[in-house]
Amino acid sequence: MKKPLEVLRLYPEHDYTLNGALASRAGRDPSRPFMVFRERSWSWGEFAMKVDAAARVLAARGIRKGDRMAVMARNCDGHVLLLFALSRLGAIMVPVNPEFGVTEAKYVLHHAEVSAVAATADTLTVARDAAAGLKTPAWFVMLDTAADDVPALDDLLRAAPVVQIPADITGDATCLIVYTSGTTGFPKGAMHSQKSFVTGGEAFVQRVYLQDDDRVMIVLPLFHINAMFYSVAGTLAAGACMIIIPKFSASSFWQTAVDTGATQVNIIEAIGSILRNRPRSEFRPEHRIARVYGVRASMDETFKNDFKIPHRIGGYGMTEIPGVTCNPFEGVQKLGSMGPVGRHPDPARPWAQCRVVDDEGRDVPVGEPGELWVKTPIIMQGYFRDPEQTAGTFEGDWFKTGDLVKCDADGYYYFISRKRDIIRRRGENIAAAELDRVVGEHPAVAEAGTIAVASELGEDDIFVVVATRPGAKVTAEEIADWCRARLAPQKVPRYVAFIDELPHTPTHKIAKAVLRADAALRARAVDLQKI
């Protein structure tokens, strides 16, 4: 296995634009596989030519530097093609969740003031309704088959016009606006430069020791920072091959891994939990996946012993600051931690710095909880058209994450909770995330979400909403007993409710805002204080 810096040095240096990085990798051996989507496979050389053709098509249709184009579709090769083609022009891709309704999509399309929209047959109607009323009407293109009055991108590429492509695009040009999940208030559009994207890929090579012959299976949505900044950018940096899966399917996950020869995949906690709970008859021991990024401590044994995956790596990042900390691929891994500050494959490159501070911005002692502040070269350029939110998120060069963490004497960080996800009970601050984890470890529980509810005595009471595993049964009293055996008395929930499935945000986090707003859920909860 090559060291990360050895992988990067397989290729010529470049200018940290997407086009520069692509040319650097494609020039080594254009026939190597770059991307697989369903029955279609692209070599590096073929993809580079398609990017050139797509850039000419976009330019002929009026896309210029700084313009925004939305992509509203399930994962497909068109996402990646348009990202690189738009970057050639200094234009910007705005990925949109294909599950959005008109209201949600309208906010993103209008806030971003998109000039064009790429859709598919199942998203076109919503996308059109959402784009209605834009100051400058957006034009549409299909990523699958042509609609009655909307051409397919493939058809346009076959007759790409000869037009001038700008040659003055630098790595500082914005290439992506990724909108946050917006669990509170309106979504914010985090802007990232081409240099940030390419550098993020290089950091991912370090994080999972990505190799030039790896096959990266992408099951996370391409409207999310993880799939874009880790999987796509990592494939670019390593000169590897990506396998794009339209949507995660638990029942076919392992068979797909076998069929595609996947060697690396990224997951999130919800996916890990689903796979852990699926019937083992679906597992295929002949799979080649050697590295999984995103395995949580509670699932580590399953992925190690049941799924036979030797390298399980976890870390921390946000839409605004991808890939800040990570348990080292080679070195001490502390289960349950976010790891130490990550680094670039080149040790001479300056990298992220972290502080843990109190409410006044003063550094706290080792082991004490505080808010995580980060300074990193992989950071957003700001929130699009929102200077006030941008200014409020920074203290000088330090990005204020809003996450409570602690750091041990070895420099390993541990997540406690979002600052706004703290429950105040009996004079103590209780992290809802801790209850989520502990209750979620009960053998009958598939997932748990903990929220604060007002107490008649003032402060908060703890309300846990539980989704059980298929066929499993557990009572509210048993949940409380489970917590009593593992947590301090003040952390034992007062209310427990059971539902079939917890609501999730577009990025698969528990949608606690939905739980808080559901009055009927509270009305049918078991009040353990009255038992």
Side-chain angles (χ1 to χ4, degrees):
M1 180 179 288
K2 302 179 187 75
K3 298 290 186 181
L5 188 56
E6 293 174 335
V7 173
L8 297 190
R9 286 180 172 169
L10 292 171
Y11 312 101
E13 293 186 2
H14 53 82
D15 59 2
Y16 280 85
T17 64
L18 270 73
N19 187 58
L22 174 61
S24 168
R25 273 55 183 167
R28 178 186 170 208
D29 179 359
S31 65
R32 290 181 303 121
F34 170 70
M35 181 166 60
V36 176
F37 176 66
R38 291 179 169 154
E39 292 77 31
R40 183 153 65 177
S41 179
W42 310 61
S43 71
W44 280 86
E46 289 168 339
F47 181 74
M49 288 190 292
K50 288 291 186 183
V51 168
D52 181 72
R56 288 186 278 119
V57 166
L58 297 175
R61 290 200 159 220
I63 297 292
R64 300 290 181 264
K65 183 177 181 179
D67 287 348
R68 277 82 59 196
M69 182 177 188
V71 177
M72 189 171 180
R74 296 196 188 281
N75 288 3
C76 65
D77 46 8
H79 278 89
V80 183
L81 178 61
L82 286 175
L83 172 66
F84 280 79
L86 288 163
S87 297
R88 282 287 305 274
L89 306 175
I92 303 163
M93 192 172 94
V94 181
V96 182
N97 183 354
E99 304 291 345
F100 272 176
V102 173
T103 300
E104 297 163 301
K106 182 175 183 177
Y107 177 82
V108 173
L109 299 187
H110 284 249
H111 186 267
E113 294 182 339
V114 299
S115 301
V117 180
T120 50
D122 59 339
T123 65
L124 180 60
T125 299
V126 170
R128 274 181 151 165
D129 290 346
L134 281 166
K135 293 177 184 178
T136 303
W139 56 268
F140 280 74
V141 67
M142 303 298 289
L143 295 181
D144 45 13
T145 56
D148 289 342
D149 57 345
V150 182
L153 181 59
D154 280 346
D155 294 336
L156 296 177
L157 294 178
R158 281 191 279 271
V162 178
V163 295
Q164 188 74 24
I165 300 295
D168 60 346
I169 307 305
T170 70
D172 292 328
T174 304
C175 67
L176 270 172
I177 299 177
V178 181
Y179 278 80
T180 61
S181 54
T183 52
T184 58
F186 291 109
K188 302 185 292 291
M191 302 182 291
H192 279 281
S193 70
Q194 297 194 31
K195 182 177 182 180
S196 178
F197 182 86
V198 175
T199 306
E202 293 179 344
F204 191 67
V205 172
Q206 174 67 46
R207 206 169 303 138
V208 301
Y209 272 45
L210 204 63
Q211 302 292 298
D212 56 310
D213 59 355
D214 265 323
R215 295 175 67 83
V216 178
M217 187 165 73
I218 302 176
V219 298
L220 298 181
L222 286 165
F223 62 80
H224 185 238
I225 204 77
N226 187 311
M228 277 292 183
F229 259 74
Y230 301 165
S231 299
V232 175
T235 298
L236 173 66
C241 176
M242 71 181 83
I243 301 153
I244 299 176
I245 308 302
K247 186 179 181 181
F248 168 72
S249 168
S251 61
S252 61
F253 177 87
W254 296 109
Q255 188 60 55
T256 300
V258 171
D259 293 343
T260 60
T263 59
Q264 195 277 326
V265 68
N266 286 12
I267 65 170
I268 56 173
E269 184 174 12
I271 287 177
S273 178
I274 290 169
L275 291 175
R276 179 184 60 185
N277 296 334
R278 295 292 298 183
R280 289 299 180 264
S281 59
E282 296 172 352
F283 177 66
R284 297 291 178 267
E286 67 269 30
H287 77 81
R288 296 172 51 205
I289 296 175
R291 282 149 290 154
V292 176
Y293 181 80
V295 175
R296 296 295 179 92
S298 61
M299 304 163 196
D300 188 73
E301 285 298 315
T302 298
F303 276 77
K304 176 184 177 182
N305 296 326
D306 291 9
F307 301 153
K308 309 299 181 184
I309 295 176
H311 300 289
R312 306 157 309 282
I313 306 106
Y316 168 88
M318 298 174 65
T319 300
E320 298 86 344
I321 47 169
V324 176
T325 69
C326 183
N327 271 287
F329 187 86
E330 290 184 329
V332 176
Q333 292 210 10
K334 296 190 179 183
L335 288 181
S337 81
M338 297 155 38
V341 175
R343 65 182 182 87
H344 189 272
D346 184 349
R349 292 275 292 271
W351 210 241
Q353 302 173 53
C354 293
R355 296 173 60 195
V356 184
V357 304
D358 61 20
D359 290 340
E360 283 72 47
R362 299 172 301 202
D363 293 284
V364 302
V366 170
E368 292 295 316
E371 182 181 2
L372 179 65
W373 287 10
V374 176
K375 188 186 295 185
T376 171
I378 312 174
I379 192 166
M380 70 168 184
Q381 297 165 304
Y383 295 118
F384 184 65
R385 294 176 58 199
D386 202 340
E388 186 175 332
Q389 286 276 9
T390 300
T393 306
F394 285 89
E395 187 69 35
D397 292 333
W398 293 94
F399 178 81
K400 300 184 288 185
T401 67
D403 286 336
L404 294 178
V405 305
K406 61 182 180 181
C407 182
D408 68 17
D410 298 322
Y412 284 66
Y413 292 84
Y414 296 79
F415 180 82
I416 298 173
S417 173
R418 291 291 291 169
K419 285 184 75 173
R420 61 174 177 263
D421 203 19
I422 287 293
I423 300 169
R424 184 74 176 174
R425 191 186 198 199
R426 301 176 192 170
E428 297 287 338
N429 287 329
I430 299 168
E434 183 180 20
L435 270 295
D436 296 347
R437 175 181 58 79
V438 170
V439 176
E441 290 172 351
H442 189 286
V445 174
E447 195 173 28
T450 308
I451 58 175
V453 293
S455 169
E456 63 267 63
L457 302 176
E459 294 191 335
D460 301 320
D461 271 321
I462 299 173
F463 183 11
V464 177
V465 184
V466 174
T468 57
R469 295 188 182 189
K473 292 184 178 180
V474 63
T475 66
E477 295 94 327
E478 288 169 337
I479 294 294
D481 289 342
W482 178 269
C483 292
R484 286 190 190 98
R486 292 159 177 81
L487 297 169
Q490 67 268 24
K491 296 181 181 180
V492 176
R494 174 176 175 179
Y495 300 99
V496 177
F498 296 93
I499 59 177
D500 293 335
E501 186 177 357
L502 292 178
H504 292 88
T505 71
T507 51
H508 300 284
K509 297 176 183 176
I510 297 172
K512 294 195 175 182
V514 175
L515 297 179
R516 295 185 188 100
D518 190 345
L521 195 61
R522 169 74 181 273
R524 62 185 177 85
V526 176
D527 183 351
L528 292 160
Q529 194 167 288
K530 294 182 179 179
I531 294 179

